[in-house]
Amino acid sequence: MLWTVSGCGSMDREKETVIPIFAPVFKERERDLLLECIDTGWISSQGRFIPYFEEQFAAWNGMRYGVATSSCTTALHLVLVSLGIGPGDEVLCPDLTFIAPANMIRLAGLKPVFVDVEEPGWGLNPEHLEHKVNPRTRAVMVVHPLGHAADMDPIMELAREHGLKVIEDVAEAPGAEYKGRRVGTFGDASCYSFFANKIMTTGEGGIILTNDPELNEWLRIYRDHGMSRKERYVPIAAGFNYRMTNMQAAVGVAQMERLDEILQVRARQAEVYKGVFADNPRAVWRPVAEWCRPVHWMATITLRDASLRLRDPLLAHMREKGIDCRQMVYPVHMAEPYKEVNDPEEFPVSTSVSLRSLHLPSSLGLKPEEIKYIAETALEWLDRHDN
């Protein structure tokens, strides 16, 4: 039942047997397309797979343009720069998220303004957005967390009212829907991640989707050192090297060919997890808002106990049992670069959810009996200690 992680280096001995938090799953198609890149020599940022992958992923989401990047993090930075948002401007973003959105806002010369999240979706709380808008606010960065959509209607209404750009971070939620419409299709641009632990992967890598032809042009210019798209080696802006390689795109093409199948398998895995945690008095499976059709990315439970009394000891116990689990990310306002300028009292929901939540193994290759073993191991420990 358990996974074996082989050692590496000079010893090359077997390490402790574990079920990893996440492990990518590849098939022969990925290998074949990757070897084509190696055999033909098209291994860097030119080659037939890059434009094909861009078109393929954009079409799957019903969008006009796809711009492949080296990561979702660089995709976020690229969008901010290409939209022309300048120094001194402010961008609203959720407090409960991986730190990349906040960092890219700051590195673009802008000020990140954090907003508490709502329950049950854990996305930006639209009721709190209005209070954060001021004359310097230029954009809203919406994160669709852990496979769940943010509440887009009120967010888009506020953006239209104040003339704000909307950037969607869909790193964890490709294929999720909000009121029957796929996330990533609401804003001016949307950014996706293909890191090794995402729903589909290219190892590292990301992509930006947009329907705006002018934005599409500037994204490509800034992505490639600021070079003109009309004259070779003529720089017209101070740009970056944020390009995806043809090898990464080749893997992405193969993954795209079975993305619908991947999402179906993951949905069945989520049902097994939910079945074990149903009506449990100690741990709640990730809640879902009625307007959302989520996708299953990372298996997440939230302990009913409001303190850290149980979460961290439970994590330690699971690891002792050979099950690799992780705590949820801490709210961004707690991070060293941002904690001095934010009042922790403004973020009660993100703080509470973060400190009570943990992620369980979520690999595509997990079998139902493995999922039940993982969930039951956690619940057995909680039964003994939650008194």
Side-chain angles (χ1 to χ4, degrees):
M1 177 184 294
L2 297 183
W3 299 62
T4 300
V5 178
S6 297
C8 60
S10 58
M11 295 295 290
D12 194 27
R13 60 184 176 85
E14 187 174 84
K15 291 183 178 179
E16 182 181 1
T17 301
V18 299
I19 301 177
I21 188 72
F22 207 101
V25 174
F26 297 122
K27 295 190 175 181
E28 287 300 315
R29 180 65 168 162
E30 284 89 342
R31 182 189 301 272
D32 291 343
L33 297 188
L34 189 55
L35 286 175
E36 180 184 321
C37 298
I38 294 171
D39 291 341
T40 61
W42 293 102
I43 61 172
S44 295
S45 57
Q46 297 181 43
R48 77 178 185 93
F49 292 115
I50 296 169
Y52 182 57
F53 178 56
E54 292 175 331
E55 294 166 6
Q56 190 181 28
F57 194 80
W60 187 81
N61 285 279
M63 298 290 282
R64 290 180 65 185
Y65 307 107
V67 181
T69 60
S70 55
S71 70
C72 185
T73 302
T74 58
L76 293 169
H77 188 230
L78 196 58
V79 170
L80 289 166
V81 173
S82 299
L83 284 172
I85 305 174
D89 292 335
E90 297 183 359
V91 178
L92 306 175
C93 72
D95 182 52
L96 185 59
T97 181
F98 186 63
I99 201 168
N103 285 347
M104 292 305 99
I105 293 169
R106 172 173 281 194
L107 292 177
L110 315 172
K111 178 183 177 182
V113 177
F114 305 131
V115 181
D116 201 9
V117 299
E118 64 174 352
E119 295 188 278
W122 301 345
L124 275 172
N125 189 327
E127 294 182 4
H128 294 181
L129 278 176
E130 184 76 44
H131 306 299
K132 299 280 188 171
V133 175
N134 64 56
R136 297 184 300 277
T137 308
R138 294 289 308 280
V140 182
M141 189 170 285
V142 181
V143 177
H144 300 289
L146 298 166
H148 194 288
D151 192 357
M152 293 306 296
D153 280 352
I155 293 173
M156 295 304 297
E157 182 179 350
L158 178 137
R160 286 190 292 268
E161 179 183 347
H162 294 279
L164 307 179
K165 300 292 186 182
V166 176
I167 305 161
E168 295 180 73
D169 181 336
V170 200
E172 302 168 355
E177 293 180 359
Y178 173 79
K179 296 183 178 180
R181 180 176 171 181
R182 187 161 289 180
V183 300
T185 65
F186 290 83
D188 296 271
S190 52
C191 301
Y192 299 75
S193 173
F194 306 125
F195 183 64
N197 70 356
K198 295 303 188 289
I199 286 175
M200 62 166 285
T201 183
T202 60
E204 284 278 4
I207 199 169
I208 303 163
L209 301 185
T210 185
N211 285 327
D212 184 336
E214 183 178 0
L215 178 57
N216 172 63
E217 188 73 9
W218 279 108
L219 289 168
R220 295 180 185 280
I221 290 169
Y222 279 114
R223 178 185 63 173
D224 190 11
H225 299 282
M227 296 291 184
S228 169
R229 302 256 296 154
K230 298 177 181 178
E231 299 180 81
R232 295 192 68 182
Y233 303 114
V234 177
I236 60 173
F240 317 95
N241 180 2
Y242 284 170
R243 299 170 299 194
M244 176 181 279
T245 70
N246 197 48
M247 292 192 294
Q248 291 170 304
V251 175
V253 166
Q255 293 264 295
M256 274 297 306
E257 291 174 355
R258 56 190 181 92
L259 180 52
D260 291 327
E261 174 192 345
I262 288 171
L263 290 171
Q264 291 170 6
V265 171
R266 299 190 63 75
R268 292 195 292 269
Q269 291 177 323
E271 289 302 315
V272 177
Y273 263 127
K274 284 192 289 185
V276 181
F277 286 103
D279 302 318
N280 188 274
R282 295 174 176 83
V284 180
W285 177 257
R286 169 68 194 275
V288 176
E290 61 181 3
W291 37 255
C292 175
R293 188 188 71 82
V295 293
H296 174 50
W297 173 52
M298 191 67 71
T300 304
I301 59 171
T302 302
L303 306 184
R304 297 182 189 274
D305 191 291
S307 72
L308 286 177
R309 175 178 72 88
L310 293 175
R311 191 197 68 178
D312 289 357
L314 173 57
L315 286 168
H317 170 75
M318 297 295 279
R319 289 166 185 156
E320 287 174 1
K321 291 292 185 179
I323 303 170
D324 188 14
C325 299
R326 307 287 170 86
Q327 74 274 14
M328 183 180 280
V329 294
Y330 289 102
V332 185
H333 80 266
M334 291 183 177
E336 196 66 35
Y338 307 108
K339 66 181 182 181
E340 296 298 330
V341 294
N342 286 283
D343 180 0
E345 298 297 322
E346 293 186 15
F347 313 104
V349 177
S350 65
T351 301
S352 174
V353 170
S354 169
L355 299 184
R356 292 184 295 123
S357 299
L358 64 148
H359 303 308
L360 307 178
S362 304
S363 301
L364 181 65
L366 281 175
K367 303 294 189 294
E369 59 270 22
E370 293 171 322
I371 293 172
K372 291 176 182 177
Y373 169 73
I374 294 163
E376 289 168 357
T377 300
L379 289 178
E380 287 170 3
W381 186 91
L382 287 169
D383 285 341
R384 295 197 306 271
H385 294 84
D386 187 10
N387 299 314

